[in-house]
């Protein structure tokens, strides 16, 4: 794939950097360099919606004591991870599209990939905890307030959320020990581990196997557990007496189901493209990576602002609109 990129004379010098301070060449949209300023407009809008939307949700939950409940603590966790994911890609994306700054040293690349992958793992964990929350709320409504307390949610959330970043540390640190060959061209405007590792001029079997294990025992395990949680929810909902009760119970899950789909579908697609689509068109790689990293942080605050009555109520008050009746999300 590197041969497909048109490189400037300055970028050719990157291949002469020593292995002790390697530099990589980030790309935006190869072949469309002349209109990259215009291409950045939709990216700017996505950043604007993602950062402002998630900040608004965090501020609303922070400043409203009525929202200091387990359900909204989980929503604040989700908003925080989405905010972190957006900020992680912002510096290099702006640098490429506006300042034509394509070079990035390995150390900076390691920091960025650690942040991107960490916040991705965190979001997966938050979605898992939220699925357990919905499962207990629907299957054991009388015991919900006893089992799900604010302190328990915060402690469990922090423990589960940080398992991914901790597991990532050796994966990212080991990249410093590898020599890198060739032009060191990356096909995105940000650093991803699965791309950098392919440029190493040495045996990377351990990193490949360890990385696959980390993904399997975090994000893929989360997806399986989320599916099992909804299996239990569906069984419980099917036993409810009336269709009205079934619809009301299922509606409390719609926001979470949307969040799960917009996060895991692109994630699985990106993983499949990197593992099995080496000969796929470059546009496919770019599309999957950009959808995976930019779309969930942008859509989640919109979904939860629309579907969560308490959040919608506060936003309506801020905008001076007609009051909306308050209730649980969904």
């Amino acid at each position: 794939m590197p041969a497909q990129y048109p490189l400037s004379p300055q970028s050719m010098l990157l291949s002469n950097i020593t292995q002790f301070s390697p530099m990589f060449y980030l790309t935006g949209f190869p072949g469309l360099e002349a209109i990259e300023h215009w291409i950045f407009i939709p990216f700017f809008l996505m950043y604007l919606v993602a950062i402002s939307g998630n900040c608004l949700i965090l501020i609303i939950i922070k400043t409203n004591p009525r929202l200091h409940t387990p359900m909204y603590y989980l929503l604040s966790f989700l908003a925080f991870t989405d905010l972190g994911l957006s900020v992680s890609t912002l510096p290099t994306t702006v640098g490429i599209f506006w300042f034509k700054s394509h070079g990035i040293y390995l150390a900076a690349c390691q920091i960025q990939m650690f942040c991107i992958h960490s916040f991705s793992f965190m979001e997966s964990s938050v979605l898992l905890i939220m699925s357990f929350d919905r499962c207990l709320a629907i299957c054991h409504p009388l015991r919900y307030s006893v089992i799900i307390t604010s302190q328990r949610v915060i402690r469990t959330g922090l423990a589960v959320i940080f398992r991914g970043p901790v597991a990532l540390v050796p994966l990212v640190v080991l990249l410093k020990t590898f020599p890198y060959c060739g032009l060191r061209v990356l096909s995105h405007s940000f650093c991803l581990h699965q791309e950098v590792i392919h440029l190493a001029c040495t045996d990377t079997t351990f990193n490949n196997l360890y990385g696959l294990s980390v993904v399997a025992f975090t994000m893929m395990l989360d997806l399986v557990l989320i599916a099992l949680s909804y299996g239990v929810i569906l069984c419980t909902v099917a036993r409810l007496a009336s269709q009205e009760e079934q619809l009301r119970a299922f509606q409390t899950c719609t926001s979470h189901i949307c969040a799960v789909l917009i996060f895991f579908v692109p994630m699985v697609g990106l993983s499949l493209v990197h593992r099995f689509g080496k000969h796929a068109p470059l546009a496919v790689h770019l599309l999957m990576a950009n959808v995976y990293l930019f779309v969930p942080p942008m859509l989640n605050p919109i979904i939860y602002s629309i579907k969560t009555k308490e959040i919608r109520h506060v936003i309506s008050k801020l905008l001076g609109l007609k009051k909306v009746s308050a209730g649980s999300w969904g």
Side-chain angles (χ1 to χ4, degrees):
M1 280 184 17
Q4 299 175 10
Y5 297 96
L7 300 179
S8 63
Q10 292 83 1
S11 66
M12 297 294 290
L13 295 176
L14 296 178
S15 61
N16 296 324
I17 305 297
T18 66
Q19 68 180 43
F20 301 105
S21 58
M23 182 179 280
F24 296 89
Y25 184 89
L26 297 170
T27 58
F29 289 86
L32 301 176
E33 289 81 6
I35 59 171
E36 279 185 342
H37 285 321
W38 297 104
I39 294 175
F40 184 67
I41 292 177
F43 283 88
F44 170 77
L45 294 175
M46 286 190 285
Y47 276 123
L48 182 63
V49 172
I51 294 174
S52 60
N54 287 297
C55 284
L56 180 61
I57 287 179
L58 289 171
I59 292 170
I60 289 173
I61 294 174
K62 174 68 175 178
T63 57
N64 286 268
R66 287 190 309 164
L67 303 185
H68 294 177
T69 62
M71 183 174 69
Y72 289 98
Y73 285 141
L74 291 175
L75 182 54
S76 65
F77 278 146
L78 183 64
F80 173 76
T81 57
D82 281 333
L83 184 62
L85 199 56
S86 296
V87 173
S88 298
T89 59
L90 182 60
T92 52
T93 303
V94 172
I96 288 173
F97 287 119
W98 279 102
F99 302 106
K100 304 297 182 183
S101 175
H102 291 263
I104 182 171
Y105 283 103
L106 177 60
C109 192
Q110 285 177 289
I111 293 172
Q112 185 180 50
M113 77 171 66
F114 178 78
C115 291
I116 290 174
H117 293 304
S118 291
F119 283 114
S120 296
F121 286 136
M122 288 182 187
E123 181 149 347
S124 174
S125 300
V126 172
L127 291 173
L128 172 63
I129 299 172
M130 292 174 83
S131 72
F132 289 162
D133 173 81
R134 292 297 84 206
C135 185
L136 286 170
I138 293 173
C139 301
H140 303 284
L142 299 179
R143 298 173 57 193
Y144 176 80
S145 59
V146 177
I147 298 174
I148 305 296
T149 63
S150 295
Q151 282 192 341
R152 188 169 293 171
V153 164
I154 293 173
R155 290 174 182 172
T156 305
L158 290 176
V160 175
I161 284 171
F162 283 105
R163 61 181 178 147
V166 170
L168 274 174
V169 171
L171 201 64
V172 174
V173 170
L174 279 174
L175 293 176
K176 192 74 174 178
T177 65
F178 296 151
Y180 297 93
C181 306
L183 298 175
R184 302 170 192 150
V185 175
L186 302 176
S187 60
H188 304 295
S189 59
F190 40 80
C191 293
L192 296 176
H193 177 270
Q194 55 264 42
E195 274 205 300
V196 174
I197 197 67
H198 287 158
L199 300 179
C201 308
T202 187
D203 182 23
T204 59
T205 301
F206 174 79
N207 259 50
N208 290 330
L209 293 178
Y210 181 77
L212 190 60
S213 300
V214 170
V215 172
F217 286 101
T218 52
M219 302 177 87
M220 298 310 297
L221 179 61
D222 291 348
L223 182 57
V224 171
L225 293 176
I226 289 171
L228 291 175
S229 297
Y230 274 101
V232 175
I233 289 173
L234 287 175
C235 291
T236 302
V237 170
R239 291 197 295 266
L240 295 177
S242 67
Q243 287 189 345
E244 184 179 350
E245 289 179 331
Q246 292 175 347
L247 183 61
R248 190 185 307 117
F250 190 71
Q251 282 180 337
T252 64
C253 302
T254 53
S255 299
H256 180 256
I257 291 173
C258 291
V260 169
L261 290 177
I262 64 176
F263 177 76
F264 280 104
V265 170
M267 183 270 289
V268 172
L270 180 63
S271 299
L272 292 175
V273 167
H274 274 289
R275 295 289 174 185
F276 307 109
K278 295 180 180 179
H279 302 291
L282 178 61
V284 175
H285 290 262
L286 294 175
L287 177 65
M288 294 307 301
N290 288 322
V291 168
Y292 169 57
L293 291 178
F294 291 106
V295 172
M298 176 189 67
L299 290 184
N300 281 337
I302 296 175
I303 291 170
Y304 279 96
S305 296
I306 294 173
K307 299 296 293 181
T308 307
K309 293 180 181 179
E310 286 283 4
I311 300 293
R312 194 165 72 239
H313 176 69
V314 174
I315 293 176
S316 298
K317 287 178 64 177
L318 291 174
L319 297 176
L321 301 177
K322 185 179 178 180
K323 285 189 176 182
V324 182
S325 59
S328 61
W329 60 28

